[in-house]
Amino acid sequence: MPTIGAGRCAKAALALLLVLTLSACVSQSCGPAPAPAPGLAAFYSALGELENGTRTRAVSILHLGDSHIAADRFSGDLAARFQVRFGDGGRGHFPPAEPFPYFARQGYEVSASEGWHIANSQRPDAPGPFGLTGIRAQSGSAADFMRLAARAGAFSSFAVDVWGAPEGGSFQLFLDGEEAGIFSSKGHGLIRVALKGGMASRAELRPMGDGPVTVLGWGSAPAARGVLYEAQGIPGARLSILERWDEDVLRAELEALKPDLIILDYGTNEGFDDALSPVQYKRLLGQTLRRLGEWAPGASLAVIGARSGARLPSYLKTGAERRTYPCVPLALNEKAKYPALLAQESPVLARWHAPPSLGAVRAAQEEAAAAEGAFFWNAATAMAAGEGAACAIHTWVLAEPPLAYSDHVHLTPAGAERLAARFWEALMGPYEAAQCRARGAGNALF
């Protein structure tokens, strides 16, 4: 991947200030030691090196997923926890322009003119290639722009990935309103424009009008310290979306990012597919984990099992009355006859219930993760908190304040924050306990 360097970024901005209360261990009492988390040794080692000062670059986390991640609630809450605990290494790359409705990234604002042609890899007929963002934006008009701004804090370095083509045009980059350079997208394959040094809180990209410019992603390049938390989510996405991303682009972007942890957070959309084959899904997940292990050999791999979700058959949807239906898991005989019951619009299914494929997807995820040595976390079990996972989402919908929306799929900000706290404890509990004991003994464990 060609890299174009440029001068210093613009003037410094205020550092990002996140107010978040995290539990801290004390040397006198470290509490009970959680069981070791399988598959996370490389990630823990990277964090330990960051803490003891022997690491000279940020620890990088890459979180890939569906609509749960697209709005950056769960992932944004995790990013805040990591960056308060270990330092702010940035949020990595963003999709170009305004990629789809409801896109958000905590602490940032994105805007773009309407002239950009957006291609989303969620569509099977969308023109590629695609990188880790799964989005590409193209324009050849000098009237178009895309903007990215940090509400607080700044980019310590900045990078733009464009797709080089013989007819590619040039573009301007502005940092804090000052021109940082004019760059060309003429070439072949992925081109990275990297600007290092200094600080900037606002970035703007404008085509020069001399040919099409195709942007695959832009944002923070890895910093020297802290944790970089890059989250890429697309509404409606399934794990299979990675099959539509270009392997050469992925390899180059992963080499630049050098992730220490890759989190796969899919399964909801597969779980609502009544024709899904769990066997084929398990095979695909295993293949994906192996490919990521090959392309990012220094990374630990993690799989988040599909969250709790429920369906009310469409023939029963009656506005506000949806809330009055109870949630009762499907019986074995109902699962066996499920397609026929739906086709018959059977009153037997007149309640909220987890689709039959959802639990099967979760089981396939756990089995594939175990087979490939990846860390697995069951989000539905974490949501259940001692109750049945199949209807945990219904309990969250009815909670005050609500922890999930009435669609029985998506979490409210409060619900996402609660689930992020539980994932943090599962992911980081063993690390914190081990570090606490090492500090008490006067040693650095990692």
Side-chain angles (χ1 to χ4, degrees), residues 9 25 31 40 107 141 298 332 401:
C9 296
C25 76
L40 296 177
S141 171
L332 289 177

Side-chain angles (χ1 to χ4, degrees), residues 32 76 94 162 288 327 400 410 445:
F94 291 58
V162 296
T288 303
C327 182
E400 289 295 341
H410 296 98
L445 185 58

